[in-house]
Structure formats: structure tokens, C-alpha cells
Amino acid sequence: AQSVTQLGSHVSVSEGALVLLRCNYSSSVPPYLFWYVQYPNQGLQLLLKYTTGATLVKGINGFEAEFKKSETSFHLTKPSAHMSDAAEYFCAVSPFYSSASKIIFGSGTRLSIRP
Amino acid sequence: KAGVTQTPRYLIKTRGQQVTLSCSPISGHRSVSWYQQTPGQGLQFLFEYFSETQRNKGNFPGRFSGRQFSNSRSEMNVSTLELGDSALYLCASSPALQGTDTQYFGPGTRLTVL
């Protein structure tokens, strides 16, 4: 069975500060991992995804995430926060190479940026 | 390419009524998934259709149903609406089954049940 835990339902950082959003997963098989962002009154947009290969994944808008199998983590980071980063972020997991799979989303982390 | 479109964007219904929501996927995408998003329960998977067949289903009552047409457009139906069905309903499409590919989300339909 798979599950996703996002630590912290709300994170607040100052503009220009490091953004760190935490995600831990549980999966009995190698996972695909995703980060999505949702701006107010919009659907979700893919930030980045890990399938296989390089464990450090770079996404859009300067975000990146590192797959750490030993820690079952896939934390999202950005070196310098911008006001436009304020949104809700969702981590998601699905089993690798499973045609019968479905993606499991975390409960989301709302990111606020202080001027 | 045009993105995923959902109609209508907003809907107000009363308890006991039924509602049909529509989703047009990105051209060439064969998978359409539906999600319910609420402040209390977060993002919950309803079902996925691929090539007109339901491939996956979440834990929702039978009042929630869907279908997919040969052009990959999908509809979701909720019968006998309850207050708790008030939510943002999101549709997502992907070229292949959702577990193996990136999903592209529409803006959602906000349903309010009075």
C-alpha cells in the first residue's frame, strides 16, 4: 500500500529565504514521485517528477526535489522564495510500472511568503 | 495545445438534485481522472477512465458515476446530491494511465449544494 505524508499544513517564509516543503512516502514497490502546485481558483500544475535515474530532479520556477530512498523522502526546495510562490503544494506517489495504479496525493502544504 | 477544459466552472444545486460535470482532455490524451477537493478531506480520487473503460475507482458511493466517450471527453454524474458533496471537482488528463504519466489538470468545477 502507498501513502504520502506532508509535514506541515502551512509553511511561512520571508521573501528571498529558502523554501523547504517536506514529503515522506510509503510504497511497497519503487515509486514514481510528483510535486504539484495549486494557485487559488485553479487546478493543479506539475512542478516536477521523479521516475528513475538521477535522484535530484529540477522542475519549473526554480524548484527542485531529491529522492532519498533510505529516508523515503522527496522534499521540495527552492533557494530563494518569491512572492509568486505563494500557493498550495501537493506531493504525490504512485507505484512504478503499474498499469493498475492510481496516484495518492498528500494533504497539501500551504506556502505563504512574507514581504 | 489547448489545456483541459471543464464545464461549467460554477454550479449551485439543492439537496436531492443530480448534476453532470463535463471534462474535455488535452487532444491525444486517453486517460481522464476525476478528483474531489474539499478543505476537510483534501484531494480524493474518484475514478479514472481510459479508452472508454473505468480503470480505477476510489472509495465513493455509487451516487458518483462517470463515463468516457470515444473522443476521450468524460462526464461525471452525482445523483441525489447531499450537502457534503459541495466541493471543487477536478478533472485531469494524461496520455497514458495516471500512475505512469504526468497528469494535466483542468481549473475545476465548483459545486455548491444548498
Side-chain angles (χ1 to χ4, degrees):
Chain A
Q2 304 160 263
S3 66
V4 178
T5 302
Q6 291 185 241
L7 298 174
S9 59
H10 184 212
V11 170
S12 180
V13 303
S14 298
E15 191 174 18
L18 171 71
V19 174
L20 171 59
L21 304 183
R22 299 177 187 275
C23 173
N24 287 89
Y25 70 91
S26 169
S27 179
S28 55
V29 297
Y32 281 173
L33 294 160
F34 306 81
W35 274 100
Y36 284 87
V37 61
Q38 185 178 31
Y39 297 102
N41 299 315
Q42 294 186 27
L44 279 69
Q45 178 184 5
L46 180 72
L47 274 177
L48 50 80
K49 67 178 178 182
Y50 168 79
T51 53
T52 59
T55 56
L56 182 62
V57 182
K58 294 188 184 299
I60 62 171
N61 301 338
F63 284 94
E64 62 182 37
E66 187 171 11
F67 169 58
K68 292 187 176 181
K69 184 178 177 181
S70 61
E71 299 176 10
T72 61
S73 69
F74 191 57
H75 302 329
L76 182 71
T77 60
K78 181 174 180 177
S80 177
H82 191 272
M83 295 300 291
S84 61
D85 295 328
E88 185 139 22
Y89 292 79
F90 294 90
C91 181
V93 62
S94 74
F96 184 66
Y97 277 149
S98 171
S99 63
S101 65
K102 55 188 179 185
I103 289 180
I104 305 297
F105 283 88
S107 55
T109 297
R110 183 167 300 279
L111 176 64
S112 300
I113 311 296
R114 301 187 300 270
Chain B
K1 270 186 181 177
V4 177
T5 58
Q6 292 187 246
T7 56
R9 289 294 310 278
Y10 301 91
L11 206 48
I12 299 176
K13 292 285 187 179
T14 56
R15 278 182 299 174
Q17 287 186 309
Q18 77 166 26
V19 67
T20 299
L21 311 182
S22 181
C23 172
S24 293
I26 292 173
S27 177
H29 286 193
R30 298 168 64 190
S31 166
V32 173
S33 298
W34 288 89
Y35 296 86
Q36 182 195 66
Q37 187 177 27
T38 60
Q41 300 297 317
L43 200 60
Q44 293 187 284
F45 171 73
L46 280 156
F47 28 66
E48 177 186 15
Y49 285 87
F50 185 86
S51 294
E52 301 179 65
T53 302
Q54 187 180 90
R55 296 303 183 101
N56 276 304
K57 191 177 189 307
N59 297 324
F60 278 82
R63 300 186 296 108
F64 292 82
S65 63
R67 59 177 175 168
Q68 186 180 34
F69 302 94
S70 58
N71 62 358
S72 293
R73 189 177 71 85
S74 177
E75 288 183 346
M76 191 192 95
N77 185 274
V78 188
S79 62
T80 320
L81 283 166
E82 300 177 0
L83 295 178
D85 296 333
S86 293
L88 180 67
Y89 290 88
L90 292 166
C91 162
S93 75
S94 60
L97 287 166
Q98 62 158 237
T100 60
D101 213 333
T102 301
Q103 292 187 92
Y104 297 83
F105 284 79
T109 294
R110 185 163 297 281
L111 172 64
T112 301
V113 182
L114 302 175

